[in-house]
Amino acid sequence: MGSAGRARLRIAARAGIFARSQAHDRMSDQNDSSTLSPAELQRRDFLRLAGLGAGALISGVGVSELGAQRPATPSSGGAIRRSTRVVVIGAGVWGTSTALELARRGASVTLVDQYGPGNSRSTSGDETRGIRSSYGDRAGATGELWTRWAREAITRWKAFDAEHGPRFGTRFFYETGDIILRERAEPFTTRTAELWTQLGVKFDRLTPDDVRRRWPMFAADRYSEILYEPDAGVARARASVHALVALARDAGVDFRLSRATPGAIVGGKMQDLRLDDGSTLGADAFVFACGPWLRKVFSELLENRMRLPLGHVCYFGTPIGDTRYFAPNIPSWNVPGVTGWGALPVDARGFRVRGAFAAPRPQPASGADAAPPPPPAAPDPRLQDPDLSPRWSNEDRIEGSRRVLQQVFPALADMPLLETRSCHYESSSNRNFIVDRLPGADNAWVTGAGQAEGFKFAPLLGEFGAKRVLGESTDATLNEAFAFPTQDFGGTGRGDDDE
């Protein structure tokens, strides 16, 4: 499709009537494999996914059922800059949410991604993410900030599901409640309860008997400290990203499938991006929402200020006909070092376990000294590269996840393993998000470092990031909290491959 055709689509989208019309389909069909290069064919397929085709993939409905679109309405707050051209690099949940908010505020937005939205390498991949507000483990003011934001995020995810679920013919959020189980009170649970009380968050303190009556599938007798947040829940990750892509397309966002490299910075301004086809892409502002790729893109700045652990997830089968292990019949749960939740009826991947219990140490024979632990294996450098890291879970992790089931959900202990998943997350040296200008470039922004918690905050971070880029008023406290990190990690700054 030529530039004139893309311009017509953008005009239609901003009028609120964008759809894959018959005329558009005829235009696309004319560009068959005899006239398009492999790169152009790849881009055409990506545009189809990024357009209303994404909605069709999520919902299983036809394009004609998605044809009537509401016009995108700019936010009533702050300045509307219709002439601002912004390029967002990264079509994960943060990048796509930011692109959508920028377009709603009148900016002309291009969204670039090298692998496509919700791909298996991305932090926004996998099927589900927990949405809860228990952040008593966050130091200082961060715990209160994240708790407040998470509470608002729960409200917004419910609103997103109510508004867009019927359109796409699916669900994006399940209210399950979230239960924290500890053998005794600890700083995390004590501070979480203090923050909830301070902020007026409804929660319950439960006993093992309470848990047994409400959810008899838990083996909760060992736990004396139990907190329950009743309106927490689980969001569908990949499906939500695809829906956001479709909404962004409706709002006029243009998509490019390409690997992007920052151009030169001259006079404090980034000049352009270099794309992998050799072309350049200019704009008034650039937003890098690259997830774990941020450290590759800006290695001199982030090499020792960002770590990239891999989180591993196992999905186990549930007993035949037993719906107790499906949402919303069981809450999401948190035991030391491990989280999880029930299968979602909309896709039924299985019972999710993230993290593992270590194997018990072998006991020495009577009178013998314990053998020293074996030296750790040399780190695999691929585990720090999101392009090259293998996304598989070894038997130790799988068996460690099964030990969790044996202890907490004994009826699932022998159920089959259905899938494993893994993704990088980004941990910054200041343990907070980054939404700030790139040092040395007034027109380039970085939004990332989700700390393994970022997905749930996307509705707020997309709005906050868009306001910052467009020069709208934002809370100075948040600006400071999400500033580009200046301190380094100790050593090399490289994390291991565990949660």
Side-chain angles (χ1 to χ4, degrees), residues 179-185 204-228 331 407-408:
I179 190 170
I180 302 168
L181 302 107
R182 296 292 188 270
E183 292 188 11
R184 62 189 62 83
D204 298 318
R205 288 188 178 275
L206 304 180
T207 67
D209 286 341
D210 295 328
V211 175
R212 190 179 303 108
R213 284 191 295 269
R214 298 177 68 171
W215 307 289
M217 48 283 206
F218 281 88
D221 287 348
R222 71 172 61 221
Y223 302 108
S224 64
E225 176 80 341
I226 305 174
L227 304 179
Y228 178 60
Q407 178 173 304
V408 187

Side-chain angles (χ1 to χ4, degrees), residues 279-435:
S279 65
T280 60
L281 187 60
D284 300 306
F286 302 89
V287 181
F288 291 87
C290 308
W293 285 270
L294 280 172
R295 203 174 75 171
K296 292 189 73 171
V297 175
F298 302 113
S299 58
E300 292 185 3
L301 292 168
L302 291 172
E303 173 66 19
N304 204 23
R305 296 173 185 172
M306 181 177 286
R307 292 176 174 170
L308 303 178
L310 273 168
H312 294 264
V313 169
C314 292
Y315 290 96
F316 292 92
T318 57
I320 297 172
D322 191 343
T323 60
R324 296 179 303 167
Y325 297 96
F326 278 72
N329 300 330
I330 185 172
S332 60
W333 48 272
N334 177 322
V335 298
V338 188
T339 61
W341 41 81
L344 301 186
V346 70
D347 49 27
R349 295 289 178 183
F351 190 87
R352 186 184 195 269
V353 178
R354 179 185 180 275
F357 286 168
R361 293 184 178 182
Q363 297 297 315
S366 178
D369 294 332
D380 183 346
R382 296 177 303 165
L383 295 175
Q384 289 297 310
D385 188 333
D387 290 306
L388 302 177
S389 54
R391 305 306 178 89
W392 59 276
S393 296
N394 61 29
E395 285 300 321
D396 287 342
R397 296 185 184 282
I398 294 170
E399 287 307 308
S401 296
R402 196 173 290 282
R403 281 191 288 274
V404 177
L405 298 181
Q406 291 168 348
Q407 178 173 304
V408 187
F409 303 99
L412 302 182
D414 297 320
M415 296 306 295
L417 176 71
L418 303 181
E419 296 183 20
T420 68
R421 300 281 179 140
S422 62
C423 73
H424 285 283
Y425 59 88
E426 316 92 57
S427 177
S428 62
S429 56
N430 63 5
R431 296 196 71 203
N432 215 333
F433 310 137
I434 303 173
V435 185

Side-chain angles (χ1 to χ4, degrees), residues 24-363:
H24 174 219
D25 286 343
R26 286 196 299 271
M27 189 189 319
S28 297
D29 291 341
Q30 290 169 2
N31 295 328
D32 59 23
S33 58
S34 66
T35 60
L36 292 181
S37 69
E40 289 170 326
L41 281 170
Q42 186 184 38
R43 183 173 186 275
R44 184 184 70 177
D45 291 341
F46 176 61
L47 291 175
R48 285 178 171 173
L49 171 62
L52 288 179
L57 284 174
I58 296 168
S59 62
V61 301
V63 171
S64 61
E65 297 174 71
L66 297 174
Q69 306 297 332
R70 291 187 300 277
T73 304
S75 169
S76 59
I80 297 175
R81 301 182 173 208
R82 298 189 181 280
S83 61
T84 300
R85 298 174 304 146
V86 185
V87 176
V88 179
I89 303 93
V93 72
W94 280 22
T96 305
S97 297
T98 303
L100 175 58
E101 290 295 334
L102 286 164
R104 286 174 170 172
R105 285 169 162 74
S108 175
V109 184
T110 300
L111 180 59
V112 182
D113 195 277
Q114 60 181 333
Y115 296 122
N119 69 82
S120 293
R121 285 182 171 100
S122 69
T123 303
S124 297
D126 196 15
E127 306 307 319
T128 52
R129 292 291 184 272
I131 312 293
R132 45 88 186 176
S133 70
S134 46
Y135 288 114
D137 56 341
R138 296 288 156 172
T142 302
E144 181 177 347
L145 188 161
W146 282 27
T147 301
R148 288 182 184 275
W149 265 40
R151 293 303 307 171
E152 176 63 22
I154 290 172
T155 299
R156 295 203 186 191
W157 275 107
K158 291 179 179 180
F160 183 88
D161 186 54
E163 180 177 4
H164 299 297
R167 170 191 165 183
F168 289 104
T170 190
R171 291 280 304 275
F172 296 108
F173 179 85
Y174 284 81
E175 182 179 289
T176 62
D178 183 72
I179 190 170
I180 302 168
L181 302 107
R182 296 292 188 270
E183 292 188 11
R184 62 189 62 83
E186 57 185 46
F188 161 59
T189 56
T190 300
R191 180 58 178 156
T192 293
E194 289 174 353
L195 287 169
W196 282 345
T197 301
Q198 173 186 332
L199 299 174
V201 177
K202 180 181 178 182
F203 73 99
D204 298 318
R205 288 188 178 275
L206 304 180
T207 67
D209 286 341
D210 295 328
V211 175
R212 190 179 303 108
R213 284 191 295 269
R214 298 177 68 171
W215 307 289
M217 48 283 206
F218 281 88
D221 287 348
R222 71 172 61 221
Y223 302 108
S224 64
E225 176 80 341
I226 305 174
L227 304 179
Y228 178 60
E229 184 180 13
D231 60 350
V234 176
R236 295 177 64 212
R238 195 189 311 271
S240 297
V241 172
H242 286 172
L244 285 165
V245 166
L247 296 172
R249 187 72 179 178
D250 293 349
V253 174
D254 189 26
F255 289 85
R256 301 288 295 271
L257 180 66
S258 180
R259 194 177 185 92
T261 303
I265 297 175
V266 179
K269 301 286 185 184
M270 185 172 289
Q271 301 301 296
D272 52 30
L273 295 175
R274 299 189 301 274
L275 304 183
D276 57 7
D277 63 0
S279 65
T280 60
L281 187 60
D284 300 306
F286 302 89
V287 181
F288 291 87
C290 308
W293 285 270
L294 280 172
R295 203 174 75 171
K296 292 189 73 171
V297 175
F298 302 113
S299 58
E300 292 185 3
L301 292 168
L302 291 172
E303 173 66 19
N304 204 23
R305 296 173 185 172
M306 181 177 286
R307 292 176 174 170
L308 303 178
L310 273 168
H312 294 264
V313 169
C314 292
Y315 290 96
F316 292 92
T318 57
I320 297 172
D322 191 343
T323 60
R324 296 179 303 167
Y325 297 96
F326 278 72
N329 300 330
I330 185 172
S332 60
W333 48 272
N334 177 322
V335 298
V338 188
T339 61
W341 41 81
L344 301 186
V346 70
D347 49 27
R349 295 289 178 183
F351 190 87
R352 186 184 195 269
V353 178
R354 179 185 180 275
F357 286 168
R361 293 184 178 182
Q363 297 297 315

